[in-house]
Amino acid sequence: MISCPYCNHENMEGALVCEECGLSLWGNPNNKVPTRELEDDTSELSVKSGWGTATFEERDQIIIHVRDAAEPITITPDDEFLIGRLDAASGITPDLDLSPYGALEKGVSRIHAALRRGEEVLSVVDLDSANGTYLNGQRLGPNQPRLLRDGDEIRLGKLSMHIYFK
Amino acid sequence: MEFLDYYSILNVSSTASETELREAYRQAARRYHPDVNPAPGAEALFRDINKAYEALSDPRQRADYDRTWRNRASSTPSLLLEILLSRRELRPMPEPQILYVLVKVQPLLEMSLSSDAPLNLCLVVDRSTSMKGVRLQNLKSAVHHMINHCSPEDYISVVTFSDAAETLIPAQHPDDPRRLMAAVSSIRADGSTAIRSGLELGLREIERHRQARYVNHLILITDGRTYGDEEECIKLARQAHERGVGISGVGIGEDWNDRFLDELASKTGGSSTYINSPDTITWFLDNRIRSLATAFAERMQITVAPTPGVNLQSVTRIAPNPMVLGTNTQPIPLGSIEGTTGNRLMLQFHMVTAGAPPGAFVVGRVDVGGEVLGAGARAERVVDEISVTITDDPAPAEPPPEMIDALSRLALSRLQDRAHEALEEGNVEEAAQKLEYLATRLLENGSEELGQAALHEAQRVARTRQLSAEGAKNLKYGTRALWSTPGREQ
C-alpha cells in the first residue's frame, strides 16, 4: 500500500498517481527507489540507472558490453547491422561475430538479430532465430522491430549484452 | 487480404519443430482460451492463435504458408513498437498491484516524410437556427479557407443538415474553388439538429471515391443535440469504420452532447473537439486537415488481452486525439498515425501475483496493426507479449519519466470525470472535493486559467449542485488538451 501524503488515500502497490487526488506519487519517499550502492570496481556502464535516450544521431556509435567479456565492442552501424556467429562452412558472415563469446553454446543463430537505423532512432529486430531475441527481458516476435534505448539489455538465446550509445 | 504472421502469433521461430509448435499453442491456450479467459480481447486473440496453429500444424499447409511468409519477412516493416513498463520486477503479493504499460507505435522509415496522403474528405455541417450569426459566418470562412488550401488530388464534399440534410457540394476535386465557395456562402441557418441524415449523406459522398490509399474522413460540425437518432448515428459510425472511414466530431458552444460525439467518433478511432469561440474554427479545421494529410498509417487498431488473474483496467490514447477508450469491444479502433509523432497509449493492469512462481510472468498480449499508406496501404501487425519478473527482492528501478509525466496529466481528466460521476450519484460534497483537487493540481502545474475555472466550478457545485455547461466542457477538453502538450501551459 502507498499512502498519499496529500489526502492520505491508501493506493495499491505500484500506483504512480494517487487515485483520489491525482498527486504524483513518484515524488513520495515511500515509493522511491533507495540509492543503490555501487561497488568500487564496477565500471559505471554496467549499472543501468534511469532511462536512456532513444535518440540515435547520424554519427553516433554503439558500445556493446557482452556479459562477462573483458572488453566492450565499439561499432558504427550501417542501415542494417547483422549480429550472429561466423559459420565458415556456410560462408555466412554477420557484421558482428559473437563466436569469441561462446555464441554456439549459448544458442546464438548464425544470423540472429539485426540493429537497424531509422530516422534518428535505432531498433533491434529478431531475424527468426531459433532461440529468440529478448529486449529487457521481453521476447521479441521474429521480424518485429523494437525501439532501442541507450543502456538497454539484449539477450540472444542465452548470451546477454548491454547496448550504449556514444 | 490481411497477412497474419503466424510465427509471431505463436511466438516461435519459423524453424520450430512440431513439438515446439504444439507446446507454444498449449501455452497460448492456457492464457487466452475463452474458457479460461473471459477478457474481451482474449477471444479476438485466440481466434488468430487457433488459425495460426491450424495452418502450421499441417505440414502441407505450413509449406504453403512458409513461401508467403518468407516473401513477407524479407520486406522491412514500417511500424515500430515500443513498450515501456512502470516496473519490470514485482513482488509476489496477495493484494492486487498496479502495472502501467505505455505502448508507442511510430513510423520506422523515412517513408513518414514522403509526400502527403490525398484526402477524401466530407464536411457535415449543422445549419440549425442556433448556428445563426457569428457561428455560421466563421464556419463559412473556415470552409472557404479549406477549399482554397486543398490539394488538386483531394476529393472534398460538403453536406449541410438541419431538419433534413442536403448535399451542398458533391464529392469532387477542388478544380473550381470560386464556385464551391459561392455554394458555401449560400448556407442559411434554419430548423433543428438531425444529425443522422447529415451523417448518412456525408458517408455516401465519401463512398463515391473511397480508396485505401486515401485518407477517407468525415468531419461533423454541430452546436446542438440530436434527439432520438443517437443509436442510428452510432450504427452508421460503426459501418463507416468497417469501410475504413474515420469520423472527427467538432462541437461549437455549450449545448452539444459531448458524450455522444465522443462515442460516435471513437467507433472509428476518432474523437471530439470543443470549440468555445467561433473565431477559432478556421484554425481548428486547418490544423485537423493538415494533420490528416500527414497520415502515415490509417485504420489502426489494438487488441489487449490480459492473462487469467490480470485485469485490464483502462486503455487511454494519449496521442493523437486524446481519449479514454472503451475496452469491451475489441479490437479497439485507434484511428490514424499522423505525422512522425506516432500513437501513444497508456494501459493500466491490476494483477495478483501471490502464488506465481518466481521468474517470468506473462501479463498479457498486445496486438497493434493498421494500414501503412506510404507502403500502398499495406496491412501490418505487431504482436507483443508483456511480461514481468516475479521476485522476492525486486531491484530498485525508476519508472520511465515520460510515463510519470503522462500519468500525472491523465489524472487531471480522471478527476473531472470523477466529479461528474459523483454529481450523477447526487454526491455533491464528493464532486466539489474532486474539483478542488483538480484546481490544486492544475495550479501547481502552472495551468492558472484552467485551475481558476476548476475552483470556480467547485464553488458553483457546492452552491447549485451542478456544473455550468460551459465550465464542464471547458474542464473536460481543457484537461484533455494537456495530455499531449509537452511542458507547461502558458
Side-chain angles (χ1 to χ4, degrees), chain A residues 1 4 6-7 12-24 26 33-34 36 48-51 54 80 116-119 121-126 128-131 136-149 152, chain B residues 5 8 11-14 69 73 76-77 79-82 84-88 93 96-98 100 104 108-110 112-113 350 382-387 395-402 404 407-408 411 414-415 418 434 437 440-441:
Chain A
M1 290 289 214
C4 173
Y6 188 81
C7 70
M12 283 161 63
E13 178 87 4
L16 291 176
V17 271
C18 176
E19 181 67 15
E20 185 67 16
C21 72
L23 185 80
S24 174
W26 180 245
V33 171
R36 178 181 262 206
K48 181 177 176 178
S49 60
W51 288 77
E80 171 130 343
R116 276 188 194 143
R117 264 178 190 276
E119 216 165 290
V121 292
L122 194 68
S123 63
V124 58
V125 56
D126 175 74
D128 192 26
S129 66
N131 295 305
N136 299 319
Q138 313 263 324
R139 182 167 180 166
L140 307 182
N143 302 309
Q144 304 210 13
R146 292 289 176 275
L147 186 83
L148 259 186
R149 283 171 183 270
D152 276 348
Chain B
D5 188 336
S8 284
N11 213 353
V12 291
S13 96
S14 71
W69 187 86
T76 314
L79 294 177
L80 178 60
L81 184 68
E82 185 183 20
L84 299 174
L85 309 183
S86 59
R87 295 180 288 166
R88 287 190 198 140
M93 273 177 66
Q97 310 186 44
I98 299 182
Y100 305 97
K104 299 162 77 176
L108 177 62
L109 295 176
E110 289 79 2
S112 57
L113 298 176
H350 289 183
V382 278
V383 189
D384 209 331
E385 209 120 48
I386 302 168
S387 62
E398 180 199 336
E402 63 182 303
I404 301 173
L407 285 169
S408 321
R414 178 89 186 111
L415 284 172
R418 301 259 317 258
K434 288 288 174 291
Y437 284 144
T440 312
R441 297 291 159 257

Side-chain angles (χ1 to χ4, degrees), chain B residues 123 125 131 133-149 180-181 184-187 221 278-286 289:
Chain B
L123 288 187
V125 176
M131 288 292 290
V134 68
R135 284 185 187 167
L136 196 56
Q137 276 319 315
N138 277 290
L139 183 54
K140 282 181 186 175
S141 59
V143 179
H144 283 171
H145 180 89
M146 182 197 92
I147 292 170
N148 267 327
H149 288 80
L180 302 185
M181 283 158 74
V184 170
S185 297
S186 74
I187 303 175
I221 306 173
D279 55 7
T280 53
I281 299 176
T282 303
W283 178 85
F284 168 79
L285 262 191
D286 196 44
I289 290 164

